[in-house]
Amino acid sequence: MSKEIEIVLPDGSKQKVTKYTTLFEIKNQLMEEAVVGSIDGELVDLATPVKDNAEIAFYDCSSPEGTTAICQLVSLLLEEAIKTLYPEALFAKAQRDEQTVWVDLRVNQPLSALILKDLEHHIKKQIKVGASIESTTVSVSEAREIFKDNELKLFALAELMADQQVFVYSFGNVTEFFLEPMALELATAQYFSLLKVSGAYWQGNPENEMLQRVMGVVFAEKSQLLAHLDYLEESEKRSHQKLGKELDLFMFSEEAPGMPFYLENGLTIRNELQRFLRELQAKYDYKEVKTPLILNQRLWERSGHWDHYKNNMYFTKVADEDYALKPMNCPGHCLIFKDRKRSYRDLPMRMAEFGQVHRHEFSGALNGLLRVRTFCQDDAHIFVRRNQIEQEIALALKIIDEVYKIFGFEYGVELSTRPDDFMGEIELWDEAEASLGKVLTDLGYKYNINEGDGAFYGPKIDIHIKDALNRSHQCATVQLDFQMPEKFDLTYVDEDNQEAQPVMIHRAVFGSLDRFLGILIEHYAGAFPFWLAPKQVALINVAPPHESGVEELFQEFHAAGIRVEKDLRNEKLGKKIREAELRKIPYILVIGDREIKEGTFAVRKHGSDKIKQMTKLEFMNLVKQQIQEKNHQYY
């Protein structure tokens, strides 16, 4: 007679089962939708037998453990499908990030997106057949023997301890290992989609060989998958690279990889962003400065950037001395502060710069305006006495809040603390972190702690904005720095006529103007608020006799500071209106006999078929008000 053991379920209830009963058999009675389980707190797959009295739990696809399990199952099925089409394929370890899975492989021929449907069809056929998967748990040293002919997987195993346990699964002619258990029922993998084929450097290092990558997404429910595919479709429509080309905003060239060329329309928006922040900063007594692009290498060694950034810097020689393109503006601002004797009456000194910086990025990391090699920082450095720290951080946060409200961004706040490669004394770091935390608490901010993600010179407050697709972007930052003033021996004369060291606050609102513009393009889908739109009004004549009327209006609008364009082409009226719509111009005015005779406009706003009748005075007052208020509504 088989020996019985006692299992304890999560609700505390107990049940007798036969020894060596698998979790799969138990879950069919208790939680049929489970994909993985645990025995005494240790995660295992459902093929695992229960050998002794134990506490057990089950996890379905909606849990983090279950999500990992089904993602790993799809990865295995994807490898098997690829191997069927390309028997020579050699796979690196399958990877995932939340719902996204990918497989990197070495194969003799280039893959294209055309194979994705064939791969999906093969996987779905396997799911329908419901073939079984072999599973086992082995030590890393045993796994190295299993994968001895696969150098790519051996590399991943080499990073693990020899006695660590891993899960090994075989299906068809492929075998894979994971650190967590995998779902074993093929039907749980049915809600997936393969999205992309691309090249990928081995281990993300451009000095390594180029592998090929197949990527997809996995979800627990069909509705989640469909919603994600809709999201991807909308993301593609909003792509700043696509819209940047369509709207003549910017371009890139192989002659300067990762370095944007701004066209007239894009530069107009960028200039408006700078004008907006420049006026706001002047209101709060920020003084704008400009520092050189190229500075001597010894400056970067002194500031500490050399030790932390030299691999991402560009260098040149001037008169046999080593110089570097600046990756940051702060050392230059320190030189300005140090240039003359400062008094406590000069503090706080709020120094701002729209500074162009250069930072080397791997070519594979470049992503339109979102990841470039040169960009403009809206940098500010505030030099303060210690008793001014909290008030100045509060003011910086006030400015950030004012700016983000204009764009309609919701945002979250994060306090990033001392990293492993920090510079300076721990006591100063503790003081700085406490100061930032106190300001956030006093101002009523709810914030998360991001351990170890501060800058090397000080802790920071990072602001994460949410765009129209609910994606998070880290843009603004406020950083407290006791180290840089010490490195540059910055001093001021205090109330007692003694030399004292200021504290430095780093502050950015947009972060990078280039990246912020990329975010705005996608946030607004290219349809910018009136005050930002490159062209704000389109004037279209009905017929040649109305050209003079359009010309007169064009000059009047232009003189009023409105960015206006005219379309006098001998084309059909409908075509000219459609093309203005495609350029996402906020207002289209069609000028014919009635408009010229009565001085009224039939105003068509972007994205709407409705036409509103307005007098010229009403329309001019409307657009002037929208420019002044930076209103998002057209009318």
Side-chain angles (χ1 to χ4, degrees), residues 163-180:
D163 59 351
Q164 182 177 341
Q165 296 291 298
V166 295
F167 299 89
V168 176
Y169 298 97
S170 296
F171 181 71
N173 53 1
V174 296
T175 300
E176 181 60 279
F177 78 92
F178 298 106
L179 302 183
E180 296 178 71

Side-chain angles (χ1 to χ4, degrees), residues 27 29 36 77 143 167 180 196 204 217 224 234 245 270 444 470 496-497 509 534 596 599:
K27 75 100 178 180
Q29 303 172 32
V36 287
L77 296 177
F167 299 89
E180 296 178 71
K196 186 178 178 182
V217 289
Q224 294 172 325
E234 182 63 24
K245 187 170 185 177
R270 181 168 152 160
N470 205 35
D496 300 321
N497 206 31
V509 180
I596 293 175

Side-chain angles (χ1 to χ4, degrees), residues 382-565:
I382 306 110
F383 298 90
V384 300
R385 292 174 279 162
R386 290 203 178 195
N387 63 0
Q388 297 171 326
I389 289 174
E390 293 178 12
Q391 72 186 48
E392 285 303 311
I393 292 172
L395 177 58
L397 291 171
K398 181 177 188 293
I399 293 171
I400 291 167
D401 184 66
E402 285 188 36
V403 170
Y404 286 174
K405 278 180 177 174
I406 289 292
F407 297 102
F409 284 129
E410 295 181 359
Y411 61 87
V413 180
E414 198 172 64
L415 175 56
S416 298
T417 59
R418 183 176 66 246
D420 292 336
D421 62 345
F422 71 95
M423 186 170 69
E425 301 297 325
I426 289 180
E427 292 76 14
L428 284 178
W429 274 87
D430 291 342
E431 180 183 340
E433 289 172 8
S435 294
L436 293 180
K438 184 177 185 302
V439 173
L440 290 174
T441 300
D442 290 348
L443 293 176
Y445 281 102
K446 294 180 180 178
Y447 63 93
N448 298 317
I449 300 291
N450 188 7
E451 294 285 354
D453 200 44
F456 69 88
Y457 47 75
K460 58 180 181 171
I461 296 170
D462 287 329
I463 309 294
H464 297 259
I465 61 175
K466 288 287 186 72
D467 69 10
L469 293 181
N470 205 35
R471 297 172 299 189
S472 179
H473 306 272
Q474 193 273 307
C475 294
T477 186
V478 181
Q479 304 173 3
L480 191 53
D481 184 357
F482 290 89
Q483 314 304 325
M484 204 76 70
E486 182 178 347
K487 289 278 187 182
F488 282 90
D489 194 25
L490 303 183
T491 60
Y492 67 93
V493 179
D494 66 15
E495 299 96 320
D496 300 321
N497 206 31
Q498 300 295 314
E499 284 196 345
Q501 190 172 91
V503 178
M504 187 175 181
I505 298 171
H506 305 246
R507 188 237 65 192
V509 180
F510 299 136
S512 154
L513 259 73
D514 309 73
R515 182 167 176 267
F516 195 78
L517 176 55
I519 293 168
L520 286 182
I521 293 169
E522 298 192 357
H523 181 63
Y524 295 125
F528 293 97
F530 186 83
W531 71 279
L532 267 185
K535 290 290 185 287
Q536 297 166 319
V537 177
L539 301 175
I540 299 175
N541 65 317
V542 174
H546 309 122
E547 288 182 7
S548 60
V550 169
E551 286 284 3
E552 186 177 326
L553 284 171
F554 178 85
Q555 295 301 329
E556 188 174 348
F557 278 49
H558 185 72
I562 297 167
R563 295 189 290 275
V564 60
E565 71 170 37

Side-chain angles (χ1 to χ4, degrees), residues 117-133:
K117 286 188 177 180
D118 292 336
L119 294 174
E120 280 194 9
H121 177 75
H122 180 89
I123 292 171
K124 289 175 180 177
K125 183 177 178 181
Q126 293 285 48
I127 291 172
K128 189 173 182 180
V129 172
S132 61
I133 295 171

